[in-house]
Amino acid sequence: MSDVGPIEPPEQPELDESDRVADWAAPDEHLVVLVNMVNQIGGSELNIRLTVFGLVLSGKLIGGADYFDSVATIFDQASADPSESLGDVYRRTATFYRNDVRAQPGESRVTTFIHLKDAYAYAPGAKPLLIGLWRGRLGHVSGWSVGSYGSPPS
């Protein structure tokens, strides 16, 4: 018989409830690094799959500025009078996004959102649903992988 007693778990620092919730809800650090890289390199794309509230989203990870430029184009195309389009608002947001990302390169910043284009949602027992452009909170992503499902069936 061995004289080894029961294995005790390592001692954990005392956390209050807000620390536990904040740690649990924090976005995946590696995903944040990818999002920051794509935000800093305008025009770049990366095929990615995300799990968000039980749905799988598959699409191309794009930077925030590219997302807002694309939204501006959609509003421009939908407007009968381009001078009154909401596209200008989103173009200004894209410019702000670009300038903000470039203003402090390498500085630690809080990245809150992730942006996809050509996104599809996959739910159990349902056909893939084309979403197109998608913006979501990084803190809501519970899992992710690089790659895509390819072209969804028609």
Side-chain angles (χ1 to χ4, degrees):
M1 303 258 344
S2 170
D3 290 341
V4 177
I7 298 174
E8 296 292 326
E11 203 168 308
Q12 297 292 321
E14 182 114 2
L15 299 175
D16 67 19
E17 191 60 30
S18 65
D19 290 331
R20 287 188 190 111
V21 171
D23 184 53
W24 176 83
D28 182 289
E29 296 160 1
H30 300 285
L31 182 57
V32 172
V33 168
L34 277 178
V35 171
N36 284 335
M37 286 173 44
V38 170
N39 280 337
Q40 290 175 4
I41 305 168
S44 60
E45 301 176 356
L46 175 70
N47 287 332
I48 195 164
R49 291 182 298 259
L50 310 172
T51 304
V52 181
F53 295 117
L55 290 176
V56 174
L57 300 175
S58 180
K60 294 177 181 151
L61 176 64
I62 60 173
D66 296 324
Y67 170 85
F68 287 112
D69 280 337
S70 296
V71 171
T73 300
I74 290 169
F75 278 116
D76 288 345
Q77 292 169 348
S79 177
D81 182 0
S83 67
E84 296 179 11
S85 170
L86 283 174
D88 291 335
V89 173
Y90 286 95
R91 239 181 309 290
R92 284 193 298 273
T93 303
T95 300
F96 173 79
Y97 217 101
R98 271 187 203 90
N99 293 339
D100 185 50
V101 167
R102 292 183 188 145
Q104 309 293 334
E107 186 176 292
S108 178
R109 61 182 348 97
V110 177
T111 302
T112 309
F113 289 95
I114 184 169
H115 303 90
L116 302 180
K117 77 174 196 178
D118 302 333
Y120 282 85
Y122 296 83
K127 290 184 178 181
L129 173 66
L130 174 63
I131 296 173
L133 289 171
W134 180 83
R135 172 180 163 93
R137 289 193 177 276
L138 274 166
H140 292 169
V141 176
S142 59
W144 63 279
S145 62
V146 175
S148 70
Y149 288 130
S151 298
S154 348

